[in-house]
C-alpha cells in the first residue's frame, strides 16, 4: 500500500527544520517522492515530468512559513499546482444556447457512455429540464436496448432509433423530434470502438457537424490511466470536445487519469462516475481529486 506522501516528505524534510528557505537541493529530494506518488496514481510519465519541473521552479526559494513544516509546505505547493492544473473550479454544463441543446457523448467502447448518458439525463431531469435520450450506437443493438432499459428506470423518454438507420440521420431526427415535443436537452449516446478508429472518428465528426452540440463530452475510464492520454489526445484532435467525464472513480483508481487527460486536452473535467447506479454521478471537484492523487 502506498505510504502517505505527506508522511514521506515529513521525513525527507526533518533535517530541514529551522532553515529559512526551501533550496533546490531540498526540493530535488522531495520531488523524487512526488514523482513516485504521481506515477503510482497512474499519471502519464510525460505529464509527471512537466509537472515536477513546474513545481520545482515554484517551490525553490520560497520562505518556509512559520505555520507549516517544510514537508507540509512542499505538499501545499504540489497540491495547489495540481488543483490549478485540474481546473480550480467545477465547470458547469453549457445549456443556455438555442433549445433543444445537444450533449454528445464520445469515447471508447466500455468507457461508460451509455451509463453516463442516462445518469446525466437523470441529473438534468432533477434540475427541471426535459431531456431526451438518443441511442446512436447502431453497431451494437444491445447498446440501444441498454439505453431503453435505463431510460425506463429513470423515467426519461428514449428516442426510437433503429439499428438499420444512419447515426447522423438519427441525431437529426432526434433533435427535430425534441423540438416538436418541447424537450430541451438531447443527450446523444454514440458508438465506441475498442481502439481509436478513423471510420468511427469520421462518423462522430459528421454527427457533431449535423447537430452542433453545445457539449461534446469525452467519456474515459479512470482505470485506464496510461492509455487515457493517447486516446484523449486523438479524440481531442478530431472532435470539438468541450469537457470530460471520468468514470469508475469509486474504485481503486487514484485519479491520475484526470491530470493526464486535462493536461493533454486542456478541456475541463465536468463529472466523475462513482458507480453503476443511476445516481452515481458527481460534479468534478479538482480539490478532492488532487488530494486523492497525492494519496
Ligand atoms: P459504453 O460502451 O461506453 O456505452 O459503456 P457502458 O455505459 O455500457 O459501461 C460499460 C460498463 O461500465 C457497464 O458495465 C457499466 O455499468 C460500467 N460503468 C459505467 N460507469 C461506471 C462507473 O462510474 N463506475 C463503475 N463501477 N462502473 C461503471
Amino acid at each position: 500500500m502506498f505510504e502517505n506522501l505527506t508522511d514521506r516528505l515529513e521525513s525527507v524534510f526533518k533535517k530541514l527544520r529551522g532553515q529559512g528557505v526551501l533550496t533546490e537541493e531540498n526540493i530535488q529530494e522531495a520531488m523524487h517522492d512526488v514523482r513516485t506518488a504521481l506515477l503510482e496514481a497512474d499519471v502519464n510519465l510525460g505529464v509527471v515530468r512537466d509537472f515536477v519541473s513546474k513545481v520545482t521552479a515554484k517551490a525553490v526559494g520560497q520562505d518556509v512559513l512559520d505555520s507549516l513544516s517544510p514537508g507540509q509546505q512542499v505538499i501545499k505547493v504540489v497540491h495547489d499546482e495540481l488543483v490549478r492544473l485540474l481546473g480550480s473550479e467545477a465547470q458547469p454544463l453549457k445549456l443556455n444556447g438555442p433549445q433543444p441543446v445537444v450533449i454528445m457523448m464520445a469515447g471508447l467502447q466500455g468507457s461508460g457512455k451509455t451509463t453516463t448518458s442516462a445518469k446525466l439525463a437523470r441529473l438534468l431531469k432533477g434540475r427541471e429540464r426535459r431531456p431526451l435520450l438518443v441511442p446512436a450506437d447502431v453497431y451494437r443493438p444491445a447498446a440501444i436496448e441498454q439505453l431503453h432499459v435505463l431510460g425506463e428506470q429513470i423515467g426519461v423518454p428514449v428516442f426510437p432509433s433503429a439499428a438499420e438507420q444512419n447515426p447522423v440521420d438519427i441525431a437529426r431526427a432526434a433533435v427535430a423530434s425534441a423540438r416538436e415535443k418541447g424537450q430541451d436537452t438531447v443527450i446523444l449516446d454514440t458508438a465506441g470502438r475498442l481502439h481509436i478508429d478513423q471510420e468511427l472518428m469520421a462518423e462522430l465528426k459528421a454527427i457533431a457537424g449535423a447537430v452542433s452540440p453545445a457539449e461534446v463530452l469525452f467519456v474515459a475510464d479512470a482505470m485506464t490511466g496510461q492509455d487515457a492520454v493517447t486516446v484523449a489526445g486523438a479524440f481531442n484532435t478530431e472532435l470539438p470536445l468541450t469537457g470530460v467525464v471520468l468514470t469508475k472513480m469509486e474504485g481503486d483508481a487514484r485519479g491520475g487519469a484526470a491530470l493526464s487527460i486535462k493536461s493533454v486536452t486542456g478541456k475541463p473535467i465536468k463529472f466523475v462516475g462513482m458507480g453503476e447506479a443511476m445516481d452515481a454521478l458527481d460534479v468534478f471537484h479538482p480539490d478532492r481529486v488532487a488530494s486523492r492523487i497525492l494519496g
Side-chain angles (χ1 to χ4, degrees):
M1 195 48 209
F2 178 73
E3 188 194 348
N4 182 296
L5 182 66
T6 311
D7 292 346
R8 223 148 71 175
L9 290 188
E10 280 300 318
S11 60
V12 170
F13 280 102
K14 222 167 238 155
K15 51 185 183 273
L16 234 166
R17 275 185 202 284
Q19 283 191 20
V21 293
L22 300 173
T23 68
E24 175 128 28
E25 203 183 10
N26 315 144
I27 302 298
Q28 292 297 353
E29 207 176 332
M31 284 307 138
H32 177 76
D33 281 347
V34 170
R35 167 192 285 267
T36 309
L38 295 177
L39 290 173
E40 283 176 6
D42 236 352
V43 180
N44 172 270
L45 183 59
V47 175
V48 172
R49 283 205 186 108
D50 273 3
F51 181 81
V52 166
S53 64
K54 242 184 237 154
V55 173
T56 307
K58 281 204 172 156
V60 171
Q62 279 202 3
D63 290 336
V64 176
L65 302 170
D66 287 343
S67 54
L68 298 175
S69 69
Q72 286 168 332
Q73 186 161 347
V74 172
I75 288 283
K76 185 177 174 332
V77 175
V78 171
H79 183 271
D80 290 352
E81 183 64 12
L82 267 182
V83 170
R84 200 184 65 76
L85 288 178
L86 285 170
S88 297
E89 273 170 38
Q91 294 280 327
L93 289 172
K94 293 183 292 256
L95 302 173
N96 294 331
Q99 308 286 305
V101 288
V102 177
I103 302 176
M104 177 175 167
M105 316 298 280
L108 291 185
Q109 188 176 316
S111 59
K113 287 181 301 299
T114 305
T115 313
T116 306
S117 299
K119 286 176 175 178
L120 258 186
R122 179 186 171 279
L123 185 130
L124 294 175
K125 186 185 168 201
R127 293 185 190 168
E128 310 303 324
R129 292 194 70 94
R130 300 190 61 208
L132 173 66
L133 280 165
V134 183
D137 183 354
V138 295
Y139 311 100
R140 288 198 313 140
I144 297 182
E145 180 52 29
Q146 187 190 346
L147 201 55
H148 279 276
V149 170
L150 294 174
E152 176 100 351
Q153 197 182 317
I154 58 176
V156 169
V158 180
F159 187 72
S161 40
E164 347 25 282
Q165 280 177 291
N166 171 311
V168 176
D169 295 341
I170 292 175
R172 278 209 188 94
V175 171
S177 165
R179 185 171 293 125
E180 207 170 283
K181 295 191 173 142
Q183 289 150 335
D184 53 22
T185 317
V186 171
I187 302 177
L188 265 181
D189 180 25
T190 65
R193 301 271 157 88
L194 290 174
H195 305 283
I196 303 158
D197 171 318
Q198 280 319 308
E199 211 179 315
L200 175 69
M201 288 298 184
E203 177 181 304
L204 296 177
K205 265 198 260 193
I207 296 174
V211 296
S212 311
E215 291 275 359
V216 182
L217 300 178
F218 172 64
V219 181
D221 178 341
M223 304 297 280
T224 60
Q226 297 294 324
D227 280 354
V229 168
T230 329
V231 177
F235 273 82
N236 192 49
T237 307
E238 300 284 343
L239 290 171
L241 298 185
T242 57
V244 176
V245 181
L246 204 56
T247 64
K248 311 184 194 181
M249 274 288 277
E250 81 283 5
D252 294 337
R254 287 268 305 283
L259 183 64
S260 305
I261 294 176
K262 176 72 197 329
S263 305
V264 168
T265 63
K267 302 293 156 62
I269 297 163
K270 298 202 167 179
F271 295 96
V272 288
M274 298 295 289
E276 296 187 78
M278 286 295 98
D279 61 356
L281 185 71
D282 289 356
V283 166
F284 177 73
H285 290 289
D287 193 49
R288 285 185 213 160
V289 174
S291 304
R292 187 162 162 169
I293 291 176
L294 289 180

